[in-house]
Amino acid sequence: MKLWTSALALLTVVAMASWAQAEEYYVSAAKGKGKKGSKEEPVRDLGIIADTLKAGDVVHIAAGTYYGKAEAGCTKIAVPVKIYGGYNDDFTKRDPWGEFKTILTGKSQSENFDSGPRLEVGSRKFREPKSEIVIDGIIVDNGERNGYTDDKTLKISRKYQPKTKVNAAPDSPGISIDAPEGCVVTVENCVAMNCAPHHKTGAIKVYGGKSTKVT
């Protein structure tokens, strides 16, 4: 019994330590040049730090239009994080639906085009005693990610067009969250537009595991 108690206490300490190391990152389309992601040296796109983020990290994104790393038009973050958009360039003010719009989009003719969700966060495979996902103040606009049959009718094309090298419109949500068990999920102050999934997923998709709380 004493050995079991000690092991449980050790696991608790390790979990608390991992969350205590959570960091804050900054993204700016206008000022992003570095790789640190600090307020003084923000990165130019969320995709640049996507693989660096740890569970519990917080990301602040300034106003601007973002096309994804290497113009992939898709950003995947495998761990629970908090993402806040709608800041000015020095991150002193925030107005996500007014003056400082953070827009995630893509380019349908990009060589690195990825048809997955424009922003995908979390994984049900994640295992820690507590986790939280927040998406706040993000505008996803798939207008430039979609492939169209022509410029006049803007009828969505589901097939790649070799002549113009336009990719098919993504058959995926604009925002997709895959929350692990017990996760607390909040999506607020967000807009998802021009998304056209037809597999019953919607423009915003949230999957919640056992005991997940979604708002």
Side-chain angles (χ1 to χ4, degrees):
M1 180 63 71
K2 291 182 179 180
L3 180 61
W4 171 254
T5 303
S6 299
L8 182 60
L10 179 60
L11 286 172
T12 302
V13 170
V14 171
M16 291 177 65
S18 66
W19 281 89
Q21 296 173 359
E23 299 181 35
E24 297 199 29
Y25 291 87
Y26 296 83
V27 181
S28 172
K31 294 187 175 182
K33 294 181 179 180
K35 296 182 179 180
K36 294 182 178 180
S38 63
K39 185 181 291 187
E40 295 75 21
E41 297 182 43
V43 294
R44 68 178 181 276
D45 194 277
L46 175 60
I48 295 174
I49 57 173
D51 294 335
T52 303
L53 297 174
K54 306 182 303 297
D57 283 349
V58 181
V59 182
H60 307 274
I61 309 179
T65 302
Y66 297 87
Y67 293 93
K69 184 180 179 180
E71 295 189 345
C74 178
T75 302
K76 301 177 182 179
I77 302 171
V79 295
V81 296
K82 300 177 183 179
I83 300 174
Y84 298 93
Y87 290 92
N88 61 352
D89 286 332
D90 58 7
F91 302 97
T92 57
K93 296 180 181 179
R94 190 166 181 255
D95 185 11
W97 280 12
E99 188 176 359
F100 311 119
K101 296 181 178 68
T102 298
I103 302 172
L104 307 187
T105 186
K107 296 181 179 180
S108 60
Q109 292 177 299
S110 171
E111 293 182 359
N112 298 309
F113 183 79
D114 189 323
S115 62
R118 180 59 188 86
L119 178 60
E120 184 174 353
V121 179
S123 171
R124 67 191 72 180
K125 297 179 181 179
F126 181 80
R127 292 290 183 270
E128 279 202 19
K130 63 177 183 177
S131 62
E132 184 175 4
I133 295 174
V134 175
I135 311 295
D136 187 337
I138 299 296
I139 298 173
V140 171
D141 185 355
N142 265 14
E144 290 189 71
R145 294 184 73 210
N146 289 332
Y148 301 98
T149 56
D150 59 71
D151 295 333
K152 295 181 180 179
T153 62
L154 294 181
K155 181 180 178 181
I156 283 178
S157 173
R158 294 293 184 183
K159 295 181 180 180
Y160 173 73
Q161 301 174 55
K163 290 184 179 180
T164 58
K165 295 183 179 180
V166 172
N167 288 286
D171 193 4
S172 56
I175 298 175
S176 180
I177 296 175
D178 192 8
E181 293 185 7
C183 185
V184 177
V185 180
T186 303
V187 181
E188 59 184 350
N189 302 317
C190 292
V191 176
M193 57 194 297
N194 293 315
C195 301
H198 72 283
H199 289 301
K200 299 180 181 180
T201 58
I204 298 177
K205 175 187 175 183
V206 180
Y207 167 86
K210 182 180 179 181
S211 302
T212 297
K213 180 180 179 181
V214 178
T215 303

